Amino acid sequence: MSDLLLIYDDRNSLFRGGARQVARVSNGIRFVPWQAKITREFFQAQFGDHLFAFVLINPETNRVHAGGKTVRRLLQDRGAPRSVATTIEGIYQVIGDQFGRIVHGQTPADIDGTFPINENARPHIKVIQRKCSLGSCEE
C-alpha cells in the first residue's frame, strides 16, 4: 500500500511540529511541504498553477482530494464516523478562507473536491514518493 501524501504549509512551526507528531502515531501518511520545488511542479501539472491548498494525494486510488475533501478523506480513512468527517469538512468550508488569511497570510485556492490524478502529474507523484519524507524533500 502506498503512503497517502498530505501537502501542507510547513512554514509555521506549529504545523511542522503537529505533522511530526501525527507521523509518529499514524502509519501511511507522508507529510509533504507545499513550498518544495517538486510540490510546485505537481500543482502545475495537476491544476495548472501552484495553488495554495490543503491537498491529499492517494496514489493507490489515483485520486487527489483538495480543500474540505482532504479533511473528510483523512478522517474517514482513519476511522472517524462519516457524520464526524462530514461535520468537520463543513467547518473547514466555513473557516478555511479566514484561517488561511490569518495563519498563512493567504487565502487557499478555491478548489474543493476529489479529482483523478492527471497523467501529467503522475511522474511528479513518483518523485515526491522518492524524495519527500516527514515534511522535507530533497531538492
Side-chain angles (χ1 to χ4, degrees):
M1 181 171 146
S2 298
D3 283 346
L4 299 173
L5 304 170
L6 182 63
I7 298 176
Y8 77 108
D9 183 3
D10 78 330
R11 294 175 293 186
N12 182 304
S13 62
L14 180 62
F15 294 146
R16 282 192 310 273
R20 283 184 172 79
Q21 291 302 319
V22 172
R24 286 186 184 113
V25 299
S26 182
N27 292 328
I29 299 176
R30 191 177 311 189
F31 291 84
V32 180
W34 172 76
Q35 299 84 349
K37 180 179 182 246
I38 187 59
T39 307
R40 293 190 307 268
E41 291 169 353
F42 163 78
F43 273 100
Q44 186 68 40
Q46 179 69 34
F47 297 110
D49 198 357
H50 183 221
L51 306 170
F52 180 69
F54 190 44
V55 171
L56 180 69
I57 303 168
N58 188 332
E60 194 168 284
T61 64
N62 197 39
R63 297 282 180 251
V64 176
H65 309 281
K69 297 297 182 210
T70 299
V71 174
R72 183 178 190 175
R73 180 55 44 205
L74 274 172
L75 291 170
Q76 284 184 300
D77 285 352
R78 297 296 174 252
R82 179 180 288 248
S83 61
V84 170
T86 301
T87 299
I88 294 177
E89 175 187 12
I91 292 168
Y92 178 91
Q93 300 300 348
V94 171
I95 68 166
D97 286 353
Q98 295 89 344
F99 186 84
R101 281 193 300 274
I102 292 166
V103 175
H104 301 286
Q106 62 190 117
T107 302
D110 189 22
I111 57 169
D112 183 59
T114 298
F115 310 94
I117 295 173
N118 182 309
E119 285 299 320
N120 296 327
R122 197 176 317 278
H124 299 288
I125 293 170
K126 292 186 184 312
V127 175
I128 289 170
Q129 289 173 314
R130 193 173 65 248
K131 292 188 172 189
C132 300
S133 66
L134 196 54
S136 66
C137 297
E138 299 170 19
E139 294 288 338

